[in-house]
Amino acid sequence: MPVFFSEADRFSAAPMVDVTTSAFRRACRLYTRKAMLYTEMIAADAITHGRLSLLEFDPAEQPLTLQLGGCVPEALAAAAKEGEKAGFAAINLNAGCPSDKVQSGAFGAVMMKDPEHLASCVKAMQDAVSIPVSVKTRIGVDDLDSPEFTRTLIGAIYSTGCRHVIIHARKCWLKGLSPKENRSVPPLDYARVYGLKQDFPDLYITINGGIASIEQCLECLKHVDGVMLGRALIDNPYLMARVDSEIFNDGSAVKTRGQILAEAQDLAARFEAEGHRFRHLGQHFLNLFASVPGSKRYRRYLSLHLSEPGGAQILKEAYAQLCGGEL
Ligand SMILES: Cc1cc2nc3c(=O)[nH]c(=O)nc-3n(C[C@H](O)[C@H](O)[C@H](O)COP(=O)(O)O)c2cc1C
C-alpha cells in the first residue's frame, strides 16, 4: 500500500530559500519533535549535475521533506530518487513560486499554467520513489484564478495518484508583482481551499498562507488536514513550542523560552565543534524573545556578536541582557 503523507504533515514549516537551511531546521527541533520540516527549494538539475552535498542534513532534522524545483519529468524523477537514497521522509514539488529566476527556468508557479505537464512531472516522481510525493501550489496564477481552475489544477495532480497537496491560499501574478508582494498583495481565500476537501475527500490538503498563531492553526484544522507556516516561524519561532502538545496532542510540556535558550547553547557548542560558524545558527534565535519586555536588548546584543565564535556564551550573555541575570 503506497504511503501518501505522514502524521507529521499536520503541522509543517514552509520551505523558504535562504531561511530553512540545516541550521534553521536544527533550531526548529528544539521546539518541536513532531512537525514536518522542509528544505529550501533545491533545483532538480543541481542534483542531477552531481551536487549531492545539497542533500546533506543532520538526522535530528527528521522528519524532513526535500523540496525540488524543476519542470523536466526525467530530471525530477532522478533527483527524487537521490532524495530517497539520502533518507528524506518525503519529496515535494514546488509549483507555486513566482520568482523571476524560477520563471526563467519554467518551473515553480508557471507550471500551474499547464496542469497536464505538471501532472506528468508528478507522475514521473511518484513512479521513481516509494516515499510520499506532494505538490506545493497556489489557488491560481494570473487570470487563471476561478474556482473551476483551482479544481482543474488539483484534479490534474490527483489524477496522477498523488494524495497530498499544499495550497498557498492566494493566487500570484507572474508579472508586475515581486515574490514578496506575491506573498501579501493577492488576497487570501481560505474558503477556496476548504472547498477542495469536498471535491477531493481522500486528498490530504495542507493549507498555507498568513497563518500566525496556534489558534489559527486549530481553526484551519477543522476544515483541512494540515497547516504549513512560513514567515510566522521567522518572526515568532517560539510559537513552535506549543506544536507538539496542542497540534499533535502528545502530552508533552511546553518548554519555556529560557529552556529553549539553554538547549540552544548546547546546540551552538555542537554546531561550532562540527566546524560551522555560529552566525548561521545564532541568527535563528534573534526573535526567540519577540514581544517579551526587554527583548530589544537581547536582540541587539546577539546581533552584535553573531559573527564571533563562542555561540554558547554569546547566547548566555544575550539572555542576561534581557533579564539582568544568569540563565
Ligand atoms: C524568504 C522566503 C523564501 C521562500 N522560499 C520558498 C521556496 O523555496 N519554496 C516554496 O515553495 N515557497 C517558498 N516561499 C513561500 C513560503 O513557503 C510560503 O508559501 C509563503 O511564505 C506563505 O506562507 P506564510 O504566509 O506562512 O509565510 C518562501 C517564502 C519566504 C518568505
PDB file of all heavy atoms in Angstrom, residues 14-17 19 40-41 67 94 97 136 168 170 183 208-211 228-232 234, ligand 1:
ATOM      1  N   ALA A  14       7.247  25.810   6.401  1.00  0.00           N
ATOM      2  CA  ALA A  14       7.288  26.008   4.944  1.00  0.00           C
ATOM      3  C   ALA A  14       8.719  26.061   4.404  1.00  0.00           C
ATOM      4  O   ALA A  14       9.618  26.573   5.081  1.00  0.00           O
ATOM      5  CB  ALA A  14       6.571  27.309   4.592  1.00  0.00           C
ATOM      6  N   PRO A  15       8.918  25.553   3.181  1.00  0.00           N
ATOM      7  CA  PRO A  15      10.224  25.734   2.543  1.00  0.00           C
ATOM      8  C   PRO A  15      10.467  27.208   2.275  1.00  0.00           C
ATOM      9  O   PRO A  15       9.587  27.893   1.742  1.00  0.00           O
ATOM     10  CB  PRO A  15      10.082  24.960   1.218  1.00  0.00           C
ATOM     11  CG  PRO A  15       8.614  24.881   0.962  1.00  0.00           C
ATOM     12  CD  PRO A  15       7.942  24.895   2.303  1.00  0.00           C
ATOM     13  N   MET A  16      11.634  27.714   2.660  1.00  0.00           N
ATOM     14  CA  MET A  16      11.957  29.128   2.408  1.00  0.00           C
ATOM     15  C   MET A  16      13.439  29.234   2.056  1.00  0.00           C
ATOM     16  O   MET A  16      14.307  28.903   2.874  1.00  0.00           O
ATOM     17  CB  MET A  16      11.638  29.985   3.642  1.00  0.00           C
ATOM     18  CG  MET A  16      10.158  30.127   3.917  1.00  0.00           C
ATOM     19  SD  MET A  16       9.774  31.205   5.329  1.00  0.00           S
ATOM     20  CE  MET A  16      10.063  30.127   6.713  1.00  0.00           C
ATOM     21  N   VAL A  17      13.691  29.694   0.815  1.00  0.00           N
ATOM     22  CA  VAL A  17      15.064  29.853   0.350  1.00  0.00           C
ATOM     23  C   VAL A  17      15.815  30.808   1.271  1.00  0.00           C
ATOM     24  O   VAL A  17      15.263  31.827   1.704  1.00  0.00           O
ATOM     25  CB  VAL A  17      15.058  30.374  -1.111  1.00  0.00           C
ATOM     26  CG1 VAL A  17      16.412  30.940  -1.506  1.00  0.00           C
ATOM     27  CG2 VAL A  17      14.674  29.251  -2.060  1.00  0.00           C
ATOM     28  N   VAL A  19      16.407  30.571   4.233  1.00  0.00           N
ATOM     29  CA  VAL A  19      15.936  30.526   5.631  1.00  0.00           C
ATOM     30  C   VAL A  19      15.975  29.096   6.164  1.00  0.00           C
ATOM     31  O   VAL A  19      16.631  28.808   7.161  1.00  0.00           O
ATOM     32  CB  VAL A  19      14.495  31.090   5.772  1.00  0.00           C
ATOM     33  CG1 VAL A  19      14.016  30.973   7.218  1.00  0.00           C
ATOM     34  CG2 VAL A  19      14.429  32.536   5.297  1.00  0.00           C
ATOM     35  N   GLU A  40      15.041  24.134   1.854  1.00  0.00           N
ATOM     36  CA  GLU A  40      14.832  25.200   0.873  1.00  0.00           C
ATOM     37  C   GLU A  40      14.531  24.499  -0.456  1.00  0.00           C
ATOM     38  O   GLU A  40      14.818  23.313  -0.612  1.00  0.00           O
ATOM     39  CB  GLU A  40      16.118  26.007   0.680  1.00  0.00           C
ATOM     40  CG  GLU A  40      16.738  26.549   1.933  1.00  0.00           C
ATOM     41  CD  GLU A  40      18.139  27.078   1.661  1.00  0.00           C
ATOM     42  OE1 GLU A  40      18.255  28.215   1.209  1.00  0.00           O
ATOM     43  OE2 GLU A  40      19.112  26.345   1.914  1.00  0.00           O
ATOM     44  N   MET A  41      14.008  25.232  -1.433  1.00  0.00           N
ATOM     45  CA  MET A  41      13.847  24.612  -2.743  1.00  0.00           C
ATOM     46  C   MET A  41      15.222  24.308  -3.348  1.00  0.00           C
ATOM     47  O   MET A  41      16.097  25.175  -3.361  1.00  0.00           O
ATOM     48  CB  MET A  41      13.094  25.527  -3.697  1.00  0.00           C
ATOM     49  CG  MET A  41      12.836  24.852  -5.029  1.00  0.00           C
ATOM     50  SD  MET A  41      12.215  25.973  -6.268  1.00  0.00           S
ATOM     51  CE  MET A  41      13.684  26.873  -6.682  1.00  0.00           C
ATOM     52  N   GLN A  67      12.276  19.663  -0.879  1.00  0.00           N
ATOM     53  CA  GLN A  67      11.516  20.345  -1.930  1.00  0.00           C
ATOM     54  C   GLN A  67      12.366  20.510  -3.174  1.00  0.00           C
ATOM     55  O   GLN A  67      13.482  21.039  -3.120  1.00  0.00           O
ATOM     56  CB  GLN A  67      11.016  21.724  -1.512  1.00  0.00           C
ATOM     57  CG  GLN A  67      10.068  22.245  -2.609  1.00  0.00           C
ATOM     58  CD  GLN A  67       9.594  23.661  -2.451  1.00  0.00           C
ATOM     59  OE1 GLN A  67      10.391  24.588  -2.345  1.00  0.00           O
ATOM     60  NE2 GLN A  67       8.284  23.843  -2.445  1.00  0.00           N
ATOM     61  N   ASN A  94       7.816  22.033  -6.072  1.00  0.00           N
ATOM     62  CA  ASN A  94       7.424  23.443  -5.993  1.00  0.00           C
ATOM     63  C   ASN A  94       6.703  23.839  -7.280  1.00  0.00           C
ATOM     64  O   ASN A  94       7.314  23.918  -8.348  1.00  0.00           O
ATOM     65  CB  ASN A  94       8.673  24.315  -5.792  1.00  0.00           C
ATOM     66  CG  ASN A  94       8.340  25.799  -5.688  1.00  0.00           C
ATOM     67  OD1 ASN A  94       7.261  26.237  -6.085  1.00  0.00           O
ATOM     68  ND2 ASN A  94       9.262  26.578  -5.148  1.00  0.00           N
ATOM     69  N   CYS A  97       6.050  28.943  -6.772  1.00  0.00           N
ATOM     70  CA  CYS A  97       6.966  30.061  -6.541  1.00  0.00           C
ATOM     71  C   CYS A  97       7.046  30.947  -7.779  1.00  0.00           C
ATOM     72  O   CYS A  97       7.350  30.466  -8.863  1.00  0.00           O
ATOM     73  CB  CYS A  97       8.355  29.525  -6.192  1.00  0.00           C
ATOM     74  SG  CYS A  97       9.572  30.825  -6.058  1.00  0.00           S
ATOM     75  N   LYS A 136       3.392  21.533  -3.862  1.00  0.00           N
ATOM     76  CA  LYS A 136       3.044  22.803  -3.220  1.00  0.00           C
ATOM     77  C   LYS A 136       2.675  23.797  -4.297  1.00  0.00           C
ATOM     78  O   LYS A 136       3.477  24.063  -5.207  1.00  0.00           O
ATOM     79  CB  LYS A 136       4.230  23.322  -2.392  1.00  0.00           C
ATOM     80  CG  LYS A 136       3.950  24.625  -1.661  1.00  0.00           C
ATOM     81  CD  LYS A 136       5.041  24.888  -0.629  1.00  0.00           C
ATOM     82  CE  LYS A 136       4.840  26.182   0.125  1.00  0.00           C
ATOM     83  NZ  LYS A 136       5.234  27.376  -0.642  1.00  0.00           N
ATOM     84  N   HIS A 168      -1.049  27.249  -1.053  1.00  0.00           N
ATOM     85  CA  HIS A 168      -0.956  28.634  -0.585  1.00  0.00           C
ATOM     86  C   HIS A 168      -2.256  29.290  -1.049  1.00  0.00           C
ATOM     87  O   HIS A 168      -2.524  29.360  -2.256  1.00  0.00           O
ATOM     88  CB  HIS A 168       0.279  29.288  -1.219  1.00  0.00           C
ATOM     89  CG  HIS A 168       0.561  30.660  -0.724  1.00  0.00           C
ATOM     90  ND1 HIS A 168       1.722  31.320  -1.039  1.00  0.00           N
ATOM     91  CD2 HIS A 168      -0.142  31.507   0.059  1.00  0.00           C
ATOM     92  CE1 HIS A 168       1.710  32.526  -0.470  1.00  0.00           C
ATOM     93  NE2 HIS A 168       0.592  32.652   0.200  1.00  0.00           N
ATOM     94  N   ARG A 170      -3.638  31.845  -1.951  1.00  0.00           N
ATOM     95  CA  ARG A 170      -3.767  33.054  -2.774  1.00  0.00           C
ATOM     96  C   ARG A 170      -3.160  32.769  -4.134  1.00  0.00           C
ATOM     97  O   ARG A 170      -2.317  31.893  -4.282  1.00  0.00           O
ATOM     98  CB  ARG A 170      -3.118  34.282  -2.126  1.00  0.00           C
ATOM     99  CG  ARG A 170      -1.664  34.121  -1.714  1.00  0.00           C
ATOM    100  CD  ARG A 170      -0.981  35.466  -1.449  1.00  0.00           C
ATOM    101  NE  ARG A 170      -1.510  36.227  -0.357  1.00  0.00           N
ATOM    102  CZ  ARG A 170      -1.080  36.186   0.912  1.00  0.00           C
ATOM    103  NH1 ARG A 170      -0.104  35.358   1.255  1.00  0.00           N
ATOM    104  NH2 ARG A 170      -1.594  36.946   1.837  1.00  0.00           N
ATOM    105  N   ARG A 183       3.374  37.448  -1.865  1.00  0.00           N
ATOM    106  CA  ARG A 183       3.053  36.773  -0.604  1.00  0.00           C
ATOM    107  C   ARG A 183       2.127  37.616   0.262  1.00  0.00           C
ATOM    108  O   ARG A 183       1.802  37.224   1.371  1.00  0.00           O
ATOM    109  CB  ARG A 183       4.341  36.446   0.174  1.00  0.00           C
ATOM    110  CG  ARG A 183       5.187  35.378  -0.501  1.00  0.00           C
ATOM    111  CD  ARG A 183       6.262  34.824   0.416  1.00  0.00           C
ATOM    112  NE  ARG A 183       7.394  35.712   0.581  1.00  0.00           N
ATOM    113  CZ  ARG A 183       8.506  35.671  -0.152  1.00  0.00           C
ATOM    114  NH1 ARG A 183       8.635  34.768  -1.121  1.00  0.00           N
ATOM    115  NH2 ARG A 183       9.501  36.511   0.065  1.00  0.00           N
ATOM    116  N   ASN A 208      -1.803  26.810   3.500  1.00  0.00           N
ATOM    117  CA  ASN A 208      -0.663  27.680   3.762  1.00  0.00           C
ATOM    118  C   ASN A 208      -1.050  29.116   3.402  1.00  0.00           C
ATOM    119  O   ASN A 208      -1.865  29.348   2.526  1.00  0.00           O
ATOM    120  CB  ASN A 208       0.536  27.198   2.912  1.00  0.00           C
ATOM    121  CG  ASN A 208       1.678  28.199   2.871  1.00  0.00           C
ATOM    122  OD1 ASN A 208       2.018  28.735   1.819  1.00  0.00           O
ATOM    123  ND2 ASN A 208       2.281  28.465   4.016  1.00  0.00           N
ATOM    124  N   GLY A 209      -0.410  30.069   4.115  1.00  0.00           N
ATOM    125  CA  GLY A 209      -0.592  31.480   3.788  1.00  0.00           C
ATOM    126  C   GLY A 209      -1.210  32.269   4.932  1.00  0.00           C
ATOM    127  O   GLY A 209      -2.375  32.050   5.283  1.00  0.00           O
ATOM    128  N   GLY A 210      -0.402  33.128   5.557  1.00  0.00           N
ATOM    129  CA  GLY A 210      -0.940  34.071   6.538  1.00  0.00           C
ATOM    130  C   GLY A 210      -1.321  33.484   7.885  1.00  0.00           C
ATOM    131  O   GLY A 210      -1.971  34.159   8.677  1.00  0.00           O
ATOM    132  N   ILE A 211      -0.922  32.268   8.173  1.00  0.00           N
ATOM    133  CA  ILE A 211      -1.271  31.669   9.475  1.00  0.00           C
ATOM    134  C   ILE A 211      -0.185  32.069  10.480  1.00  0.00           C
ATOM    135  O   ILE A 211       1.000  31.865  10.233  1.00  0.00           O
ATOM    136  CB  ILE A 211      -1.383  30.133   9.374  1.00  0.00           C
ATOM    137  CG1 ILE A 211      -2.365  29.746   8.260  1.00  0.00           C
ATOM    138  CG2 ILE A 211      -1.813  29.540  10.713  1.00  0.00           C
ATOM    139  CD1 ILE A 211      -2.399  28.264   7.936  1.00  0.00           C
ATOM    140  N   MET A 228       0.613  24.683   7.145  1.00  0.00           N
ATOM    141  CA  MET A 228       2.032  24.977   6.894  1.00  0.00           C
ATOM    142  C   MET A 228       2.261  26.449   7.175  1.00  0.00           C
ATOM    143  O   MET A 228       1.550  27.311   6.638  1.00  0.00           O
ATOM    144  CB  MET A 228       2.387  24.651   5.440  1.00  0.00           C
ATOM    145  CG  MET A 228       3.780  25.119   5.054  1.00  0.00           C
ATOM    146  SD  MET A 228       4.179  24.757   3.338  1.00  0.00           S
ATOM    147  CE  MET A 228       4.856  23.120   3.467  1.00  0.00           C
ATOM    148  N   LEU A 229       3.266  26.741   7.990  1.00  0.00           N
ATOM    149  CA  LEU A 229       3.566  28.137   8.351  1.00  0.00           C
ATOM    150  C   LEU A 229       4.966  28.515   7.880  1.00  0.00           C
ATOM    151  O   LEU A 229       5.905  27.709   8.016  1.00  0.00           O
ATOM    152  CB  LEU A 229       3.500  28.335   9.871  1.00  0.00           C
ATOM    153  CG  LEU A 229       2.110  28.541  10.494  1.00  0.00           C
ATOM    154  CD1 LEU A 229       1.265  27.275  10.392  1.00  0.00           C
ATOM    155  CD2 LEU A 229       2.237  28.972  11.949  1.00  0.00           C
ATOM    156  N   GLY A 230       5.085  29.717   7.361  1.00  0.00           N
ATOM    157  CA  GLY A 230       6.377  30.200   6.899  1.00  0.00           C
ATOM    158  C   GLY A 230       6.855  31.378   7.716  1.00  0.00           C
ATOM    159  O   GLY A 230       7.517  31.229   8.745  1.00  0.00           O
ATOM    160  N   ARG A 231       6.462  32.586   7.300  1.00  0.00           N
ATOM    161  CA  ARG A 231       7.022  33.796   7.909  1.00  0.00           C
ATOM    162  C   ARG A 231       6.773  33.897   9.410  1.00  0.00           C
ATOM    163  O   ARG A 231       7.610  34.446  10.136  1.00  0.00           O
ATOM    164  CB  ARG A 231       6.470  35.026   7.183  1.00  0.00           C
ATOM    165  CG  ARG A 231       7.073  35.173   5.794  1.00  0.00           C
ATOM    166  CD  ARG A 231       6.267  36.112   4.934  1.00  0.00           C
ATOM    167  NE  ARG A 231       4.946  35.559   4.635  1.00  0.00           N
ATOM    168  CZ  ARG A 231       4.024  36.174   3.916  1.00  0.00           C
ATOM    169  NH1 ARG A 231       4.269  37.362   3.426  1.00  0.00           N
ATOM    170  NH2 ARG A 231       2.852  35.590   3.675  1.00  0.00           N
ATOM    171  N   ALA A 232       5.657  33.337   9.878  1.00  0.00           N
ATOM    172  CA  ALA A 232       5.383  33.420  11.326  1.00  0.00           C
ATOM    173  C   ALA A 232       6.482  32.722  12.127  1.00  0.00           C
ATOM    174  O   ALA A 232       6.757  33.100  13.264  1.00  0.00           O
ATOM    175  CB  ALA A 232       4.027  32.790  11.637  1.00  0.00           C
ATOM    176  N   ILE A 234       9.614  32.708  11.342  1.00  0.00           N
ATOM    177  CA  ILE A 234      10.777  33.610  11.380  1.00  0.00           C
ATOM    178  C   ILE A 234      10.525  34.676  12.438  1.00  0.00           C
ATOM    179  O   ILE A 234      11.370  34.948  13.286  1.00  0.00           O
ATOM    180  CB  ILE A 234      10.995  34.297  10.008  1.00  0.00           C
ATOM    181  CG1 ILE A 234      11.178  33.268   8.891  1.00  0.00           C
ATOM    182  CG2 ILE A 234      12.179  35.258  10.073  1.00  0.00           C
ATOM    183  CD1 ILE A 234      11.268  33.880   7.498  1.00  0.00           C
TER     184      ILE A 234
HETATM  185  C1  LIG B   1      12.130  34.158   2.379  1.00  0.00           C
HETATM  186  C2  LIG B   1      11.138  33.212   1.745  1.00  0.00           C
HETATM  187  C3  LIG B   1      11.587  32.222   0.898  1.00  0.00           C
HETATM  188  C4  LIG B   1      10.677  31.318   0.319  1.00  0.00           C
HETATM  189  N1  LIG B   1      11.143  30.288  -0.442  1.00  0.00           N
HETATM  190  C5  LIG B   1      10.265  29.329  -0.883  1.00  0.00           C
HETATM  191  C6  LIG B   1      10.719  28.143  -1.501  1.00  0.00           C
HETATM  192  O1  LIG B   1      11.918  27.883  -1.629  1.00  0.00           O
HETATM  193  N2  LIG B   1       9.805  27.257  -1.943  1.00  0.00           N
HETATM  194  C7  LIG B   1       8.461  27.467  -1.778  1.00  0.00           C
HETATM  195  O2  LIG B   1       7.649  26.621  -2.175  1.00  0.00           O
HETATM  196  N3  LIG B   1       7.994  28.569  -1.191  1.00  0.00           N
HETATM  197  C8  LIG B   1       8.864  29.482  -0.716  1.00  0.00           C
HETATM  198  N4  LIG B   1       8.402  30.560  -0.021  1.00  0.00           N
HETATM  199  C9  LIG B   1       6.943  30.682   0.228  1.00  0.00           C
HETATM  200  C10 LIG B   1       6.574  30.014   1.571  1.00  0.00           C
HETATM  201  O3  LIG B   1       6.860  28.630   1.548  1.00  0.00           O
HETATM  202  C11 LIG B   1       5.079  30.204   1.872  1.00  0.00           C
HETATM  203  O4  LIG B   1       4.327  29.574   0.866  1.00  0.00           O
HETATM  204  C12 LIG B   1       4.692  31.682   1.922  1.00  0.00           C
HETATM  205  O5  LIG B   1       5.607  32.439   2.691  1.00  0.00           O
HETATM  206  C13 LIG B   1       3.285  31.846   2.529  1.00  0.00           C
HETATM  207  O6  LIG B   1       3.227  31.301   3.821  1.00  0.00           O
HETATM  208  P1  LIG B   1       3.308  32.242   5.137  1.00  0.00           P
HETATM  209  O7  LIG B   1       2.235  33.295   4.996  1.00  0.00           O
HETATM  210  O8  LIG B   1       3.042  31.306   6.288  1.00  0.00           O
HETATM  211  O9  LIG B   1       4.669  32.843   5.161  1.00  0.00           O
HETATM  212  C14 LIG B   1       9.286  31.465   0.572  1.00  0.00           C
HETATM  213  C15 LIG B   1       8.847  32.478   1.431  1.00  0.00           C
HETATM  214  C16 LIG B   1       9.761  33.342   2.032  1.00  0.00           C
HETATM  215  C17 LIG B   1       9.242  34.399   2.972  1.00  0.00           C
END
